[in-house]
Structure formats: structure tokens, C-alpha cells
């Protein structure tokens, strides 16, 4: 039985860990060749090794998605390594929370850079290939759908206290998604977004200690959620629990398969029923 994504090439930013890793593994398991990205080479290479061990194809593009030249480099590597682009998943990101009166310009601009400007640059870099390829296919009487999935958050859909920077950036993703769906529909490119609710990752799990943090380009970013707050949040979810990274990847996968070829410009909330 042929896999649903056999012969496709997928770019997945932030795919060395967590949700991004599961997205990459899921797409690869269904036949896609995957370009893996992470800030650090270790996690990216591990994901690539796992894809290859399962019989798939993968290459690695290490670096910050916020770097001005990253979009061109990411797209260029996909074309050099695999010769095509069929799926783009803009997943990379992190949170840097504070209430507005304590939030610095750096915090605000960092969230816009990684969650909104980076996807814009990646998609702009891919536009030449996507448009020219589609024009040739349409002239030949072919309809070949390509897929863009931009990762958002329920913070961007409903807002969340302490996250005006992150919420604004993720709300912007909805606008980018809907506008680009209109621009690229003529090229048979479906552009959709998945807004995640509470998903268990290293950024949201109860921290081992109060000073738990990650390093993002020299910035020490606090991670983790207070256990009481985590329990309270889970209690508001109709399904009664946080989601897993694999479940989050499943929602992205829905927008990548042929069954969603007539769905575009949509924001799907993957949050266990929680508004």
C-alpha cells in the first residue's frame, strides 16, 4: 500500500525536539523526505538518524530561524538535497513571558521575529519554486497540491495573560495564513494553521526545579509550568488532559495529506476541546 506522502519533500522548522520532531517523524513515516532544523546540531542530527533508521530520508539544516538569511538557506538545502518542496511546516519557536508593564522591547521583538517574521521569510524564499513549478504543472494540465502549515497557539486565538508578545505573534500567523491562502490558491498551494492548546513538552511540563531554563542564542529563558497551574489548566480541558506531541503532529498531518486538498485558509484548534 502506497504511503500518503510518498515522494513528497517536507521542510519542518524546529524539528529537533518536541512537537517538531514528532511532526518530522510522522511525515517521514508516511513517505516524505524531510529537512530537519534545530538551533543545535545534536537534536537535529538525532531526529535525522531516527528518520533514516525507520527507512526514510532526511537532511539537516542547523541554525536560528530568526536569522535574516535562514529562509533562503532552508529552502536552498531542500532543493539541493531533494530537488523539490511539497510541504512547509513553520513550527520553530519558544515563549518568553511577562506582563506588559515588565516586558522589554527585546522580549516583544524576539517573539515577533521567531514566530512571525521567520515564517514570512521562509515562505517568501520558497515562493519562486512554488509559483514557477505550479505554472508548469498547470500548463501541462496537472493539479498537484502543495501544503503550508503554520503553527499557532490558542494564545493567538483567544489571548493569554502574560503573553502579549507571543499572543500577538501567533495572532499574526492567522492573518499571514489567510492572506497567503488567497495569494497562492491559484498555484494549488493550501495554506492552513494549527493552533495548539496545552501540549506536554519541555516548555510546558512541570519543571524539575524553580530555575529550569533553556538557552536561546545566549538568552536564558525560563521554562515549565507550576504544577498547580498545570493541574488547573488540565481540569478545564474537556478531554481531561494535556495533549502529547504525537497528537499535535497528527493535527498537522491532516493538513498535509490529499484528503485536505480542498481545505485552505483555516485555523484548526488542537486543544482537547478547551476554548
Amino acid at each position: 500500500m502506497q504511503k500518503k506522502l510518498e515522494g513528497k519533500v517536507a521542510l519542518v522548522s524546529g524539528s529537533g525536539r518536541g512537537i517538531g520532531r514528532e511532526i518530522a517523524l510522522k511525515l517521514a513515516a508516511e513517505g516524505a523526505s524531510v529537512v530537519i532544523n534545530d538551533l543545535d546540531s545534536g537534536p537535529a542530527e538525532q531526529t535525522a538518524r531516527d528518520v533514516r533508521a525507520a527507512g526514510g530520508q532526511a537532511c539537516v539544516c542547523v541554525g536560528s530561524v530568526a536569522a535574516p538569511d535562514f529562509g533562503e538557506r532552508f529552502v536552498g538545502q531542500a532543493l539541493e538535497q531533494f530537488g523539490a518542496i511539497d510541504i512547509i511546516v513553520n513550527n520553530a519557536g519558544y515563549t518568553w513571558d511577562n506582563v506588559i508593564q515588565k516586558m522589554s522591547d527585546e522580549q516583544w521583538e524576539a517573539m515577533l521575529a521567531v514566530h512571525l517574521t521567520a515564517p514570512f521569510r521562509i515562505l517568501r524564499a520558497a515562493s519562486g519554486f512554488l509559483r514557477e513549478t505550479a505554472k508548469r504543472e498547470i500548463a501541462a494540465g496537472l493539479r498537484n497540491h502543495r501544503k503550508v502549515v503554520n503553527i499557532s497557539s490558542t494564545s493567538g486565538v483567544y489571548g493569554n495573560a502574560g503573553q502579549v508578545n507571543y499572543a500577538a505573534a501567533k495572532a499574526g500567523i492567522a492573518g499571514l495564513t489567510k492572506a497567503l491562502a488567497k495569494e497562492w490558491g491559484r498555484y494549488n498551494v493550501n495554506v492552513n494553521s494549527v493552533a495548539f492548546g496545552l501540549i506536554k513538552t519541555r516548555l510546558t511540563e512541570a519543571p524539575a526545579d524553580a530555575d529550569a531554563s533553556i538557552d536561546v542564542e545566549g538568552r536564558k529563558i525560563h521554562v515549565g509550568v507550576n504544577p498547580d497551574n498545570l493541574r488547573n489548566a488540565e481540569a478545564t480541558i474537556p478531554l481531561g488532559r494535556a495533549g502529547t506531541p504525537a497528537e499535535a503532529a497528527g493535527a498537522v498531518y491532516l493538513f498535509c495529506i490529499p484528503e485536505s486538498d480542498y481545505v485552505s485558509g483555516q485555523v484548526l484548534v488542537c486543544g482537547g476541546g478547551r476554548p
Side-chain angles (χ1 to χ4, degrees):
M1 182 176 176
Q2 185 174 11
K3 297 178 180 179
K4 288 185 180 291
L5 302 178
E6 195 73 51
K8 303 295 186 182
V9 176
L11 292 75
V12 185
S13 67
S15 47
R17 305 173 173 93
I19 294 171
R21 169 183 162 82
E22 292 298 328
I23 293 169
L25 294 175
K26 178 68 174 177
L27 300 184
E30 288 297 327
S33 300
V34 187
V35 184
I36 307 295
N37 157 256
D38 197 89
L39 267 173
D40 305 313
S41 61
E45 293 289 356
Q46 183 60 59
T47 300
R49 284 194 294 271
D50 291 342
V51 167
R52 296 183 193 116
Q57 295 187 75
C59 68
V60 170
C61 183
V62 176
S64 169
V65 297
D69 67 341
F70 179 80
E72 296 288 348
R73 191 160 60 85
F74 198 30
V75 167
Q77 186 155 348
L79 295 177
E80 180 180 349
Q81 189 78 24
F82 299 121
I85 297 171
D86 300 284
I87 298 166
I88 300 173
V89 182
N90 284 305
N91 167 78
Y94 62 100
T95 57
W96 195 2
D97 298 348
N98 222 332
V99 290
I100 193 167
Q101 67 269 25
K102 296 180 180 179
M103 184 170 289
S104 66
D105 284 359
E106 184 185 12
Q107 284 176 289
W108 172 263
E109 291 164 2
M111 291 298 94
L112 293 181
V114 72
H115 292 289
L116 191 53
T117 302
F120 158 72
R121 287 175 174 158
I122 291 168
L123 295 169
R124 182 177 62 183
S127 65
F129 172 83
L130 296 176
R131 290 184 297 108
E132 294 307 315
T133 303
K135 288 176 183 177
R136 290 194 298 271
E137 290 170 345
I138 292 166
L142 302 174
R143 178 183 289 134
N144 182 20
H145 282 264
R146 293 178 173 83
K147 308 298 180 82
V148 172
V149 187
N150 296 315
I151 302 306
S152 185
S153 165
T154 51
S155 293
V157 178
Y158 308 116
N160 192 35
Q163 291 189 322
V164 294
N165 53 354
Y166 179 70
K170 289 305 193 183
I173 279 292
L176 183 154
T177 295
K178 291 175 182 294
L180 199 58
K182 290 179 168 63
E183 286 190 25
W184 281 1
R186 73 188 73 179
Y187 305 121
N188 295 318
V189 178
N190 303 72
V191 187
N192 292 292
S193 175
V194 176
F196 294 132
L198 183 59
I199 307 294
K200 287 186 176 180
T201 70
R202 64 184 180 138
L203 302 182
T204 59
E205 64 188 4
D209 62 79
D211 198 39
S213 64
I214 59 173
D215 182 273
V216 180
E217 298 181 278
R219 301 183 181 111
K220 183 180 179 182
I221 308 296
H222 177 77
V223 297
V225 179
N226 177 283
D228 290 336
N229 292 343
L230 193 58
R231 283 190 292 272
N232 291 338
E234 288 189 297
T236 69
I237 299 172
L239 289 182
R241 59 177 177 81
T244 67
E247 289 171 324
V252 173
Y253 171 70
L254 295 177
F255 281 138
C256 297
I257 57 178
E259 285 84 348
S260 63
D261 280 357
Y262 201 62
V263 180
S264 197
Q266 303 304 304
V267 178
L268 171 68
V269 174
C270 175
R274 181 187 180 192

